[in-house]
Amino acid sequence: MKTYHTHNSLSIAGKVVLITGAYGLIGQTISFAFLEQGAMVIMADIDETKKSTLENKISKDFSDDQFLFQTLDIGNEKSCRNTMDAIIEKFGRLDVLINNAGLDAKFDKDSTGKINHSRFENYPVDLLRESVDINLTGTILISQYACKQMIKQKSGNIINVASTYSVVSPNQNLYDFGDGNQHFKPVDYVASKSFVPNFTRYLATFYAREGIRCNAIMPHGIFNDHDDAFQKNFAHLSPIGRMCDREELIGPFTFLASDASSYMTGALLSVDGGWTAW
Ligand SMILES: NC(=O)c1ccc[n+]([C@@H]2O[C@H](COP(=O)([O-])OP(=O)(O)OC[C@H]3O[C@@H](n4cnc5c(N)ncnc54)[C@H](O)[C@@H]3O)[C@@H](O)[C@H]2O)c1
């Protein structure tokens, strides 16, 4: 067959990818999918309780030289520095940083009881500070350490994980289950994720001529055993009429991590079933 164009590859094989918050819902999905596609994956997370189970699982299917498990607190400078040192020692470079770690008050069954349901005017400022420390300051901190290395390489790719609540307000009707109790998506999440699109543009333009690009992905409503009342509300409010299967994120993440998106920087890729389209 005749070839008319040069196609930049969608392959991520051989790329060294640091995924923060790698033991969580999205982090695990992307880590496994990237390993399956031949990437070298650094799975970094603060939650040491899940580490050994995941490590056992991954070592059965992938060779030791393809992955690294790293305890990381993105809110702690020393921990960010140690993580970058460990990556360079093992792989010698960092091609892609996925800023996925975050605190999120979710309504799935795993998170039941963990959400503070106070109305805005009563929401505890300590919880706001905690979210800002991790979702905002922590994301910047780990990016600073990654960028120091990417500058040396004159190449790099950063993918920030935004949320629809980075650009629109939560529709609080989603959290009205008709049970007589008021539930709210809290302000700390909105405040600490709203910076992601503009931080993405900041990094994109700051480093555009130094070989480093930066984009954000905007997922919404990843299904994780949510109860029927939540799913029913979601289906009613979502243009596509259903929650997102976690596997539907793999294509968009792969695209942004690959050279197929080489002319993209500063963009926000919606993977939200149309949530922000009306
Ligand atoms: N699940 C969704 O529907 C959804 C939708 C939109 C955006 N997001 C975003 O996707 C990202 C991942 O969400 P998720 O649903 O997988 O959440 P999750 O809670 O399942 O995973 C988050 C992971 O981050 C880790 N983490 C928390 N604090 C950390 C720290 N200081 N340092 C390192 N790791 C830390 C946690 O241990 C956890 O493993 C978040 O940024 C979230 O805002 C999620």
Side-chain angles (χ1 to χ4, degrees):
M1 194 177 71
K2 187 166 166 39
T3 307
Y4 291 94
H5 300 286
T6 305
H7 295 265
N8 275 353
S9 176
L10 260 171
S11 167
I12 53 167
K15 287 195 188 284
V16 179
V17 184
L18 165 59
I19 303 178
T20 69
Y23 306 165
L25 178 69
I26 294 178
Q28 279 195 44
T29 306
I30 301 310
S31 298
F32 277 87
F34 274 35
L35 283 166
E36 282 160 16
Q37 295 178 79
M40 313 295 188
V41 177
I42 300 94
M43 293 183 68
D45 203 294
I46 198 172
D47 181 2
E48 294 196 304
T49 61
K50 293 184 185 156
K51 187 175 166 185
S52 63
T53 318
L54 274 167
E55 206 164 3
N56 288 338
K57 204 167 158 190
I58 282 185
S59 20
K60 284 198 188 109
D61 292 323
F62 303 97
S63 82
D64 271 6
D65 52 18
Q66 210 193 328
F67 62 85
L68 174 68
F69 277 81
Q70 180 68 31
T71 299
L72 165 68
D73 174 2
I74 58 168
N76 179 297
E77 274 207 72
K78 189 160 173 255
S79 179
C80 292
R81 195 180 323 119
N82 289 346
T83 297
M84 281 310 301
D85 288 349
I87 294 170
I88 299 313
E89 194 182 325
K90 178 149 183 168
F91 299 107
R93 64 179 203 282
L94 176 67
D95 298 316
V96 184
L97 163 66
I98 302 185
N99 275 322
N100 168 69
L103 301 177
D104 179 4
K106 290 197 283 191
F107 286 77
D108 56 20
K109 286 179 188 156
D110 285 353
S111 315
T112 308
K114 292 187 197 158
I115 308 172
N116 184 305
H117 291 288
S118 305
R119 284 176 55 88
F120 169 74
E121 62 272 21
N122 301 322
Y123 198 73
V125 76
D126 286 351
L127 293 182
L128 172 70
R129 291 203 171 103
E130 212 177 289
S131 292
V132 169
D133 260 4
I134 301 307
N135 297 356
L136 191 158
T137 312
T139 299
I140 292 178
L141 257 187
I142 187 65
S143 301
Q144 286 182 313
Y145 281 93
C147 285
K148 283 180 188 161
Q149 174 60 27
M150 289 173 175
I151 289 164
K152 283 190 212 155
Q153 301 168 179
K154 297 190 172 54
S155 72
N157 181 357
I158 297 170
I159 302 170
N160 294 322
V161 183
S163 157
T164 51
Y165 302 154
S166 301
V167 298
V168 294
S169 169
N171 183 337
Q172 302 291 3
N173 294 322
L174 176 59
Y175 311 104
D176 178 357
F177 308 121
D179 58 3
N181 297 315
Q182 282 197 315
H183 307 273
F184 302 102
K185 186 78 179 182
V187 70
D188 61 337
Y189 189 67
V190 172
S192 60
K193 294 297 275 191
S194 295
F195 104 106
V196 176
N198 218 19
F199 175 56
T200 301
R201 292 185 280 266
Y202 183 91
L203 285 190
T205 51
F206 199 96
Y207 289 121
R209 299 196 179 192
E210 294 180 58
I212 303 169
R213 56 198 185 90
C214 178
N215 294 290
I217 203 157
M218 187 172 76
H220 184 70
I222 318 303
F223 178 67
N224 186 29
D225 202 19
H226 291 76
D227 63 24
D228 291 347
F230 186 91
Q231 284 188 67
K232 199 167 158 232
N233 283 355
F234 194 99
H236 178 66
L237 295 170
S238 159
I240 211 168
R242 62 173 175 85
M243 297 189 75
C244 177
D245 186 305
R246 62 191 76 175
E247 311 222 318
E248 293 178 287
L249 294 174
I250 296 170
F253 270 100
T254 303
F255 168 63
L256 286 183
S258 77
D259 296 343
S261 57
S262 57
Y263 199 63
M264 281 179 71
T265 197
L268 180 62
L269 186 62
S270 313
V271 190
D272 67 353
W275 191 269
T276 53
W278 65 11

